[in-house]
């Protein structure tokens, strides 16, 4: 894969400028169009989807209001029946009264129930179940569960615990194999108004169609499903599909619906198309009215926007292709002309010129080309003169060696004279000075062995100790491994000189100078530590920020700056130069450089 990408990159970079311009301009024109079009389409589809869902939610709220009104009517109906004097009297009679009287009571109760049902066209059934064994109902059949009811189970238990208040109960079924009849029941425990003694039970059964009719006028999308759920998630009613009525809803979104009050959200199923779930909760019964509809049905209204977006992208791509071609031809034509002139110059013919008509970048490039050709002609004439000047400079450099050699020979003569007169301290000083002078005029590479550089530092310290005597105590601690490595020539000497001149010379009494060298990881660390007067915080901040110039006019202050520049030149950012100091306690200068085992290692950056 990496080879294929590398090959493709080389092929693209090796094409002509005109092709590169086409490949660069076309994506810059087409990609924003495609991204903007896709964003616009998705945003519009999202807005349309939210608007449709909001409309559906408002419709559900209206349907819920209608269902609440229906529920209140049922509760009011049960209250009328509860307070009816005729029903109170009939249910208060003994169970062993004459059959003729029972027949009259049945006709009386039937007339009362027919009167209540005559107010509205309700698809409901009313059952009066007396404690005296009387059974009155409006339907054609009395269910066995009502004829021989269990007062400690289901709806009857709720009525008994409510003590005369209205209760609601849904009819559940694990599997529906017959038609969908009673799905919701309301009931009250009947009591005598004067004595509060139990008389029986009033049950009102509502058919599924009676509830479904309430939300048939709701805003339904094709392919959607309307569900009426109770507080526990059981399906009371549904449309158009009714095969799950009476069962508990088993869908991923049911928990979110039961926990919320109203709203809508998108539900992505596993292996099924995503759907939008819109739901609203009744404040009276707590029932949930849920509308589940496919997302695809909502986004159909955005198809015109999608088609328009695709058309705009196609037109924009075609126009971009034409403009990109014209632009690439217009830009590359003068460049091809300039390329031809450059090839002529490569052959050695400098009598060429690029005709510049415009002041754009290509015109500026042409003028620069003309200036370059003119400058080349001048340089050819100057090269010969510079070669002559270089030869003369080399002759002068050879002559300049006379003065250092003369001084070295003079110092050698002084050394022999001191030895003849047995002036050993003068002899040692002259020898050390001569070695330093020999080392300074030595030709060769900038990298030298550490032990040679340390020898020159020892020569320098010999001269200083002759000057300061017992005031200067010097210790040099180098690991054997460090001495075999290479370092920059005279990189520590300016640091040692600063430690003596600025630190120990100003100190009262003797001073101590410690020079160490050791390997730390992949670096060599040199430290020059003195216990002199130290550096003030203000001055240390100036040095750290790169202000190396000394305030004393007699001192140049260029030693440390020269060290830093040489470190940067040879090691780039792979070195460390750190100075820490405390006033009247001393100064420590640390230099870390990469390990160099041979003088030919490429450390120069």
């Amino acid at each position: 894969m990496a080879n294929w990408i590398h090959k493709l990159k080389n092929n693209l970079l090796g094409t002509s400028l005109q092709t590169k311009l086409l490949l660069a301009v076309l994506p810059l024109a087409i990609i924003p169009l495609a991204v903007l079009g896709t964003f616009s389409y998705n945003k519009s589809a999202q807005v349309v989807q939210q608007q449709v869902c909001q409309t559906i939610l408002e419709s559900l709220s209206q349907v819920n209001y209608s269902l609440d009104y229906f529920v209140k009517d049922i509760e009011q109906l049960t209250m009328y029946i509860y307070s009816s004097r005729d029903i109170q009297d009939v249910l208060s009679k003994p169970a062993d009264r004459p059959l003729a009287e029972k027949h009259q009571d049945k006709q009386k109760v039937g007339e009362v129930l027919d009167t209540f049902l005559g107010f509205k066209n309700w698809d409901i059934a009313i059952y009066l179940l007396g404690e005296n064994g009387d059974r009155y109902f409006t339907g054609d059949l009395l269910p066995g569960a009502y004829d021989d009811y269990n007062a400690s189970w289901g709806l009857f238990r709720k009525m008994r615990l409510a003590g005369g208040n209205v209760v609601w109960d849904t009819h559940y079924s694990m599997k529906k194999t017959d038609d969908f009849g009673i799905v919701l029941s309301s009931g009250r425990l009947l009591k005598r108004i004067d004595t509060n003694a139990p008389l029986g039970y009033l049950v009102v059964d509502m058919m599924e169609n009676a509830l479904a009719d309430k939300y048939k006028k709701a805003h339904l999308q094709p392919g959607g499903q309307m569900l009426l759920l109770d507080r526990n998630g059981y399906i009371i009613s549904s449309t158009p599909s009714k095969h799950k009525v009476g069962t508990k809803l088993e869908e991923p979104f049911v928990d979110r619906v039961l926990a919320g009050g109203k709203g809508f959200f998108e539900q992505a199923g596993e292996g099924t198309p995503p759907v939008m779930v819109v739901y609203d909760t009744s404040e009276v019964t707590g029932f949930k009215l849920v509308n589940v509809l496919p997302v695809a049905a909502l986004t159909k209204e955005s198809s015109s926007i999608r088609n328009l977006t695709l058309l705009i992208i196609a037109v924009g791509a075609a126009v971009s292709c034409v403009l990109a071609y014209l632009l690439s031809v217009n830009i590359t034509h003068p460049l091809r002309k300039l390329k031809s002139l450059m090839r002529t110059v490569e052959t050695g013919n400098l009598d060429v010129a690029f005709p510049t008509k415009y002041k754009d970048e290509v015109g500026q490039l042409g003028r620069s080309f003309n200036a370059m050709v003119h400058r080349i002609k001048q340089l050819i004439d100057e090269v010969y003169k510079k070669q002559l000047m270089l030869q003369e400079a080399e002759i002068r450099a050879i002559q300049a060696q006379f003065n250092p050699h003369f001084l070295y020979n003079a110092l050698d003569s002084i050394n022999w004279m001191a030895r003849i007169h047995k002036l050993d301290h003068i002899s040692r000083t002259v020898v050390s000075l001569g070695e330093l002078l020999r080392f300074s005029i030595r030709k060769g590479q900038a990298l030298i062995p550490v032990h040679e550089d340390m020898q020159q530092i020892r020569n320098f310290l010999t001269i200083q100790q002759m000057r300061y005597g017992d005031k200067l105590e010097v210790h040099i601690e180098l690991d054997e491994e460090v001495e075999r490595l290479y370092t920059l020539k005279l990189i520590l000497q300016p640091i040692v000189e600063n430690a003596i001149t600025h630190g120990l010379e100003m100190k009262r009494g003797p001073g101590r100078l410690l020079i160490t060298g050791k390997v730390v990881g992949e670096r060599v660390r040199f430290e020059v530590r003195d216990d002199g007067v130290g550096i003030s915080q203000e001055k240390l901040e100036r040095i750290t920020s790169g202000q190396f110039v000394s305030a004393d006019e007699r001192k140049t202050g260029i030693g440390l700056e020269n060290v830093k520049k040489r470190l940067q030149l040879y090691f780039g950012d792979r070195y460390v130069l750190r100075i820490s100091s405390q006033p009247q306690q001393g100064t420590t200068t640390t230099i870390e450089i990469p390990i160099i085992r041979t003088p030919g290692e490429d450390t120069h950056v």
Side-chain angles (χ1 to χ4, degrees):
M1 184 65 180
N3 293 334
W4 183 84
I5 295 176
H6 181 70
K7 184 177 180 181
L8 178 61
K9 179 181 178 181
N10 290 337
N11 291 335
L12 290 177
L13 294 177
T15 58
S16 64
L17 180 59
Q18 182 174 344
T19 304
K20 292 177 182 177
L21 287 174
L22 288 173
L23 295 177
V25 173
L26 288 179
L28 290 178
I30 296 176
I31 291 178
L33 281 174
V35 172
L36 181 61
T38 303
F39 174 78
S40 300
Y41 170 70
N42 291 335
K43 189 64 177 179
S44 61
Q46 182 180 1
V47 171
V48 170
Q49 181 175 324
Q50 290 181 348
Q51 289 179 347
V52 173
C53 290
Q54 189 64 38
T55 302
I56 294 175
L57 181 60
E58 293 175 358
S59 178
L60 293 184
S61 299
Q62 294 296 325
V63 173
N64 249 339
Y65 178 78
S66 178
L67 289 174
D68 292 344
Y69 188 76
F70 175 71
V71 168
K72 291 180 180 179
D73 282 348
I74 296 298
E75 292 180 353
Q76 190 174 14
L77 172 64
T78 59
M79 189 62 193
Y80 288 153
I81 296 176
Y82 180 90
S83 59
S84 173
R85 175 58 63 182
D86 292 335
I87 292 178
Q88 287 270 326
D89 292 341
V90 170
L91 295 181
S92 300
K93 293 181 178 181
D96 55 353
R97 64 186 184 277
L99 292 176
E101 185 177 355
K102 287 184 177 182
H103 180 69
Q104 292 177 357
D105 292 339
K106 181 178 180 181
Q107 290 181 340
K108 182 187 297 183
V109 172
E111 291 175 357
V112 173
L113 296 180
D114 290 340
T115 301
F116 288 135
L117 290 178
F119 291 120
K120 294 184 179 181
N121 185 18
W122 291 339
D123 191 5
I124 62 175
I126 302 176
Y127 302 92
L128 286 173
L129 313 176
E131 291 283 347
N132 59 2
D134 290 355
R135 301 290 185 265
Y136 305 105
F137 50 92
T138 59
D140 299 330
L141 181 66
L142 177 65
Y146 292 168
D147 186 18
D148 186 14
Y149 60 84
N150 186 346
S152 300
W153 188 258
L155 178 63
F156 295 95
R157 180 174 178 274
K158 291 183 179 181
M159 289 188 289
R160 183 167 52 83
L161 293 177
N165 294 321
V166 65
V167 296
W168 293 89
D169 193 26
T170 54
H171 292 254
Y172 307 141
S173 174
M174 297 304 296
K175 185 178 180 180
K176 284 291 183 179
T177 57
D178 51 1
D179 61 342
F180 303 95
I182 302 170
V183 294
L184 185 63
S185 297
S186 177
R188 284 181 184 270
L189 176 65
L190 300 178
K191 298 181 180 181
R192 284 189 62 89
I193 297 177
D194 51 355
T195 64
N196 206 30
L199 295 177
Y201 300 93
L202 168 63
V203 179
V204 180
D205 285 342
M206 280 149 280
M207 304 299 113
E208 196 274 338
N209 291 333
L211 299 175
D213 288 341
K214 299 298 180 181
Y215 51 78
K216 281 184 178 180
K217 296 181 180 180
H219 185 72
L220 297 177
Q221 293 289 333
Q225 178 73 22
M226 186 77 75
L227 303 170
L228 181 62
L229 308 180
D230 67 358
R231 298 176 184 268
N232 299 318
Y234 284 87
I235 302 175
I236 301 174
S237 176
S238 67
T239 187
S241 175
K242 299 182 181 296
H243 68 283
K244 291 186 179 181
V245 172
T247 63
K248 190 170 184 178
L249 182 63
E250 300 291 343
E251 294 292 346
F253 57 80
V254 65
D255 292 334
R256 185 172 177 180
V257 170
L258 295 178
K262 62 185 298 185
F264 54 86
F265 58 89
E266 183 175 344
Q267 179 69 41
E270 297 181 0
T272 58
V275 296
M276 286 298 299
V277 180
V278 187
Y279 65 98
D280 185 72
T281 305
S282 171
E283 297 181 358
V284 176
T285 61
F287 294 161
K288 307 279 184 176
L289 195 59
V290 184
N291 192 355
V292 182
L293 61 158
V295 174
L298 297 178
T299 56
K300 282 185 178 180
E301 300 183 20
S302 303
S303 58
S304 58
I305 300 177
R306 178 194 59 200
N307 296 335
L308 180 60
T309 301
L310 293 176
L311 178 61
I312 293 175
I313 294 176
V315 173
V319 173
S320 299
C321 290
V322 175
L323 294 179
Y325 176 77
L326 296 176
L327 179 64
S328 62
V329 170
N330 186 50
I331 291 177
T332 58
H333 176 70
L335 293 177
R336 288 195 296 269
K337 175 64 176 177
L338 185 60
K339 176 183 177 183
S340 176
L341 294 177
M342 287 182 176
R343 288 182 175 178
T344 303
V345 172
E346 288 178 356
T347 62
N349 184 8
L350 299 179
D351 295 328
V352 295
F354 181 78
T356 56
K357 298 180 180 180
Y358 307 103
K359 295 184 179 180
D360 57 1
E361 287 77 2
V362 178
Q364 294 175 3
L365 183 60
R367 287 190 291 272
S368 299
F369 171 78
N370 294 336
M372 179 190 68
V373 173
H374 179 69
R375 181 60 178 164
I376 290 175
K377 291 180 180 180
Q378 292 180 342
L379 291 176
I380 291 175
D381 295 334
E382 294 175 359
V383 166
Y384 180 72
K385 297 179 181 179
K386 288 187 177 180
Q387 287 179 345
L388 295 178
M389 294 175 63
L390 180 60
Q391 292 177 359
E392 183 179 355
E394 289 179 352
I395 294 174
R396 292 180 178 178
I398 293 174
Q399 294 175 347
Q401 296 294 324
F402 172 77
N403 291 332
H405 281 290
F406 174 77
L407 291 176
Y408 176 75
N409 292 332
L411 289 173
D412 189 53
S413 299
I414 296 173
N415 173 41
W416 281 106
M417 293 174 63
R419 294 178 65 180
I420 291 173
H421 293 84
K422 297 182 180 181
L423 301 175
D424 294 336
H425 60 288
I426 297 177
S427 176
R428 289 196 301 271
T429 303
V430 171
V431 169
S432 298
L433 182 59
E435 290 295 329
L436 284 175
L437 183 59
R438 183 195 300 270
F439 189 74
S440 65
I441 66 175
R442 175 181 173 182
K443 296 182 180 180
Q445 296 181 349
L447 297 176
I448 63 172
V450 173
H451 66 85
E452 292 187 12
D453 192 62
M454 294 305 299
Q455 181 59 41
Q456 302 312 311
I457 293 178
R458 290 186 177 95
N459 292 331
F460 173 76
L461 291 174
T462 298
I463 298 174
Q464 295 296 330
Q465 285 181 319
M466 292 297 298
R467 176 184 178 187
Y468 293 103
D470 296 337
K471 181 179 176 63
L472 179 61
E473 179 185 351
V474 179
H475 296 276
I476 300 177
E477 300 176 0
L478 291 180
D479 294 347
E480 293 183 3
E481 181 182 1
V482 175
E483 292 189 359
R484 294 192 296 269
L485 301 177
Y486 284 77
T487 183
L488 284 176
K489 179 181 178 182
L490 294 176
I491 201 68
L492 292 179
Q493 192 273 339
I495 307 298
V496 174
E497 183 177 358
N498 283 344
I500 296 174
T501 304
H502 299 289
L504 298 176
E505 183 179 353
M506 307 300 295
K507 179 182 178 182
R508 293 182 179 179
R512 188 173 185 268
L513 177 66
L514 176 63
I515 303 173
T516 63
K518 58 183 177 179
V519 176
V520 180
E522 296 297 325
R523 295 174 178 268
V524 179
R525 177 183 295 169
F526 297 101
E527 284 189 356
V528 178
R529 181 178 303 171
D530 67 81
D531 59 355
V533 297
I535 305 174
S536 65
Q537 184 65 28
E538 180 182 358
K539 185 175 180 180
L540 183 60
E541 291 178 356
R542 290 202 309 270
I543 294 175
T544 304
S545 63
Q547 299 179 19
F548 300 104
V549 179
S550 175
D552 190 347
E553 295 180 353
R554 296 173 298 173
K555 301 173 183 178
T556 62
I558 64 174
L560 189 60
E561 181 179 10
N562 180 266
V563 169
K564 183 174 182 180
K565 287 183 178 179
R566 293 176 64 203
L567 289 171
Q568 289 177 339
L569 175 64
Y570 282 89
F571 302 109
D573 59 353
R574 296 179 296 165
Y575 78 95
V576 174
L577 175 58
R578 181 172 58 250
I579 302 174
S580 60
S581 180
Q582 292 291 334
Q584 306 305 322
Q585 295 184 15
T587 303
T588 300
T589 303
T590 303
I591 295 179
E592 293 184 8
I593 61 174
I595 292 177
I596 307 173
R597 293 184 171 85
T598 60
E601 284 191 39
D602 184 16
T603 58
H604 196 281
V605 295

